[in-house]
Structures are given as structure tokens and as C-alpha cells.
């Protein structure tokens, strides 16, 4: 299965495939107009994801479609075919990236407060996804200033 490369620089979201396309029935690498459309969607989502107001709330695929002016079906195809991740995974990636920033922010918020701000239903969900995405707990991230690998 093709790995998704996700780059987060200064809050920007950029997702690209690395390697070969996923081995699924009927999958083709986008090209021509389809590739141009996916790149257009990627630029719009990148700008949308930078805006903290968008990440600091719960949102659905329908809300995302309405706010970006992108057809909901095109968004679904974008996530399924171009990024090889689902909308929920992308949404959680954005939220955890913002969580990493909030954990290190000068205003000392509890992990539970950060979890609430980011729209997680409970602290356990935030912890689980944070550890899955970073390899570390939110507490390890905070205590090492965002560099837990230096403590290893």
C-alpha cells in the first residue's frame, strides 16, 4: 500500500503519495484534468487548514464542502484517490498538529482543556490519536518542549 507523506510546516497541510499507487481494483493514477482538479482541491484545503478558526472546532465533510466551495463528492474522491486517507484521518491529523502547538503554547492549558478546544469527545481519544500520530504522549511532548526523541 502506498504511504501518504504529510508535511506540516507552519500549520500548512500538504499531503502527497510516496511510492507506487495503492494496489486496489480499478485504481488509476490521476492525470490531466483530474490531477489538476486534485491539486486545486489540495491548495484550497491547505489554505483552509491554516486558519485556526477552522481547526479549533468540530466540522463535517459537508461543512468543509460548503465552506470551501468544493463539491462534497469531489472531496470524497480526493481523499480516497489522491491522498489514500479518509476525511476523518485528515481531520484528526489537523487537530493533532494544532494540539502539538497548543501543548507548547505559553498559556498553560491542561491536556483536557486542549482536547476540548480541538473538539475531541474525551481526553482519552486525544491521547490515543496523539500517541498514534507522534509516537509520544501529550505529557511527553510538553515535558520535552516538543522534542521527546532527545530524551531517548
Amino acid at each position: 500500500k502506498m504511504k501518504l507523506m504529510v508535511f506540516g510546516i507552519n500549520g500548512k497541510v500538504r499531503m502527497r503519495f510516496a511510492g507506487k499507487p495503492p494496489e486496489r481494483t480499478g485504481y488509476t493514477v490521476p492525470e490531466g484534468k483530474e490531477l489538476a482538479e486534485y491539486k486545486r482541491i489540495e491548495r484550497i484545503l491547505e489554505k483552509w487548514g491554516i486558519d485556526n478558526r477552522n481547526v479549533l472546532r468540530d466540522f463535517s465533510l459537508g461543512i468543509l464542502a460548503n465552506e470551501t466551495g468544493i463539491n462534497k463528492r469531489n472531496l470524497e474522491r480526493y481523499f480516497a484517490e489522491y491522498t489514500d486517507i479518509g476525511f476523518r484521518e485528515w481531520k484528526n491529523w489537523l487537530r493533532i498538529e494544532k494540539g502539538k502547538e497548543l501543548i507548547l503554547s505559553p498559556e498553560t492549558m491542561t491536556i483536557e482543556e486542549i482536547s476540548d478546544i480541538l473538539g475531541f469527545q474525551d481526553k482519552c481519544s486525544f491521547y490515543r490519536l496523539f500517541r498514534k500520530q507522534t509516537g509520544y504522549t501529550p505529557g511527553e511532548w510538553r515535558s520535552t518542549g516538543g522534542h521527546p526523541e532527545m530524551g531517548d
Side-chain angles (χ1 to χ4, degrees):
K1 190 160 180 155
M2 182 155 45
K3 291 278 186 188
L4 171 70
M5 296 183 70
V6 182
F7 302 95
I9 301 168
N10 297 328
K12 293 183 179 180
V13 176
R14 174 152 252 122
M15 296 178 281
R16 297 266 192 226
F17 282 134
K20 296 186 281 183
E23 295 177 13
R24 349 177 214 192
T25 308
Y27 182 83
T28 57
V29 177
E31 52 187 45
K33 287 183 179 180
E34 186 178 38
L35 180 59
E37 175 63 7
Y38 286 156
K39 288 186 178 205
R40 183 187 76 80
I41 291 171
E42 180 180 63
R43 286 190 303 273
I44 292 169
L45 293 180
E46 185 174 312
K47 288 178 185 174
W48 192 88
I50 290 170
D51 188 340
N52 286 334
R53 292 171 300 177
N54 294 325
V55 179
L56 296 178
R57 63 189 172 103
D58 198 13
F59 59 93
S60 66
L61 186 64
I63 289 171
L64 180 63
N66 286 337
E67 292 182 2
T68 59
I70 301 169
N71 178 288
K72 186 176 174 181
R73 177 69 185 125
N74 287 349
L75 276 174
E76 290 170 343
R77 288 187 66 219
Y78 169 82
F79 285 112
E81 295 178 11
Y82 189 62
T83 67
D84 199 32
I85 64 169
F87 166 73
R88 181 179 287 168
E89 291 170 289
W90 176 77
K91 176 179 163 179
N92 285 335
W93 181 83
L94 279 178
R95 293 158 81 192
I96 295 300
E97 287 300 305
K98 186 60 185 173
K100 288 163 55 177
E101 291 176 27
L102 292 174
I103 288 169
L104 299 178
S105 70
E107 312 89 43
T108 309
M109 292 183 273
T110 67
I111 302 301
E112 192 165 357
E113 289 170 327
I114 293 169
S115 171
D116 288 342
I117 287 170
L118 294 172
F120 286 94
Q121 290 185 349
D122 57 54
K123 183 172 73 171
C124 294
S125 297
F126 177 65
Y127 267 84
R128 183 178 39 78
L129 286 170
F130 193 95
R131 186 172 187 97
K132 180 180 177 185
Q133 188 165 316
T134 66
Y136 303 97
T137 67
E140 290 169 333
W141 193 262
R142 176 174 275 163
S143 69
T144 60
H147 301 286
E149 69 283 353
M150 298 179 88
D152 293 342

